[in-house]
Structures are given as structure tokens and as C-alpha cells.
Amino acid sequence: MNICIYGSASKNLESVYMDECRKLGEEIGRRGHGLVFGGSERGLMGATAEGVSSQGGEILGIAPRFFDEEGEIYSGCTDFIYTETMSERKDLFQINADAFIILPGGIGTFDEFFETIVYKSLGQQNKPVVLFNVNGYFDKLEEFMQVAIAQKFVRVHEGQLYDIASDVTKVLDLIENME
């Protein structure tokens, strides 16, 4: 299975985030899954890719050409696709992934997460989606989703389009059991 991760490329994160994402990558590789990601060597994307690499796993990086600067692209990718736009990049994530894990991140990560569950809501894909809730990062997002459901802005079934877990093993068990 090819698992796509969305997450931060920031260099300025607390070590708990980096450590947990490296462990996630190791477990992805240990279980024989491939990684699809945004191609960055930095932040949580880079930490996860390092973990997959340490286990000999396959890694597909996908990034727009304007990201191709020294120190930006993870050199351990087994395959790499350059795109012209961010939209093309996101389309290729959807095409090349069998499942999605959302790591802590910023507005780009939120955009990718919501686009993925919108596709799922509209029946355009039915792939597993799990929020990796490191250090309680997604607690407030989950709380907000429940408020949106309670106030009828989000339909109940849309709140069931993803799972949330804070343990590496549980994240991957959820992904594998939803296949």
C-alpha cells in the first residue's frame, strides 16, 4: 500500500513531533508500505521519509519545480515527480496514494486534509484518512468539527470520513483495517 502523508516542512518544531513522525516512517517501512509525500527533506515530511528510508521502504516525492532548491528536496526518494503547480501536485497525491495520514502542519496541510475529505464526501475516492494527533495537535480541530456537526454546518457522515489517533501503531492499524 502507498501511504501519502501531509505535514509540516518547518525546521522549527519541538522534538516530540519530529521523533513521533520518524517512528511513524519506520513503522510504515517495517510494514512494507510505500510513502508518497511532498518531497521535502525538512520538518515532519523529512523526518517521516528518513524513517521509511531507514527500513528500506519505497518513497515517491512529488513537488512543484519551484521547490527544487538546495536543501529542500529529500535526496532519499526512490522516485520523484516534478509538477508545474500545487494543484497538479495534489492531484498526483490523490492518484498515487491508497491511504492518507495527516501529520501536524499549517495551512498547506489543512488544505490537503480538507480537500481529501471533500473528495471522500463526494464519492470521488474512498481511501482511509487518519489524523496523527501527536501531542494533542488536532484536539481543537476535532472539537471544531464536532461543533460544526452539532450546528448542522457539517453533516454527521462527514465527521466520519476520517479517524484520529495519537499512537503510531494505532494510526497504521486504522489505515490497514480500513482498506
Side-chain angles (χ1 to χ4, degrees):
M1 171 183 347
N2 288 320
I3 299 172
C4 181
I5 59 156
Y6 298 137
S8 177
S10 174
K11 295 186 265 188
N12 303 314
L13 303 173
E14 294 178 33
S15 62
V16 64
Y17 296 104
M18 300 293 283
D19 295 344
E20 286 300 305
C21 289
R22 192 170 289 108
K23 287 178 195 172
L24 176 68
E26 290 169 358
E27 190 64 16
I28 288 170
R30 196 172 1 268
R31 292 187 186 203
H33 302 304
L35 178 68
V36 177
F37 81 124
S40 179
E41 77 170 22
R42 299 180 309 154
L44 304 185
M45 283 195 279
T48 306
E50 287 172 8
V52 173
S53 286
S54 76
Q55 301 301 309
E58 296 287 315
I59 301 174
L60 170 61
I62 304 171
R65 289 196 186 284
F66 59 84
F67 281 1
D68 191 11
E69 297 176 11
E70 188 166 333
E72 293 294 321
I73 301 298
Y74 182 68
S75 62
C77 292
T78 48
D79 197 8
F80 207 95
I81 299 172
Y82 284 104
T83 65
E84 297 305 318
T85 67
M86 293 294 280
S87 293
E88 183 183 358
R89 175 193 200 198
K90 291 191 298 181
D91 289 345
L92 289 172
F93 289 149
Q94 295 293 326
I95 291 167
N96 286 284
D98 302 307
F100 299 87
I101 299 173
I102 292 71
L103 313 176
I107 58 174
T109 303
F110 297 145
D111 172 57
E112 292 159 337
F113 165 63
F114 282 111
E115 183 172 291
T116 300
I117 63 170
V118 165
Y119 284 151
K120 197 168 179 178
S121 173
L122 297 173
Q124 298 301 300
Q125 62 96 338
N126 192 29
K127 300 172 184 179
V129 178
V130 177
L131 294 167
F132 185 25
N133 196 25
V134 177
N135 203 28
Y137 184 80
F138 289 114
D139 288 351
K140 294 293 183 188
L141 175 64
E142 182 62 10
E143 186 179 312
F144 173 73
M145 290 294 283
Q146 295 311 310
V147 168
I149 290 167
Q151 295 183 10
K152 312 239 184 298
F153 288 98
V154 173
R155 293 173 287 188
V156 172
H157 86 276
E158 291 172 333
Q160 300 166 347
L161 298 173
Y162 62 92
D163 280 295
I164 186 167
S166 57
D167 175 76
V168 166
T169 302
K170 176 80 171 166
V171 167
L172 287 168
D173 287 350
L174 284 167
I175 292 283
E176 292 170 347
N177 291 329
M178 282 190 260
E179 264 192 299

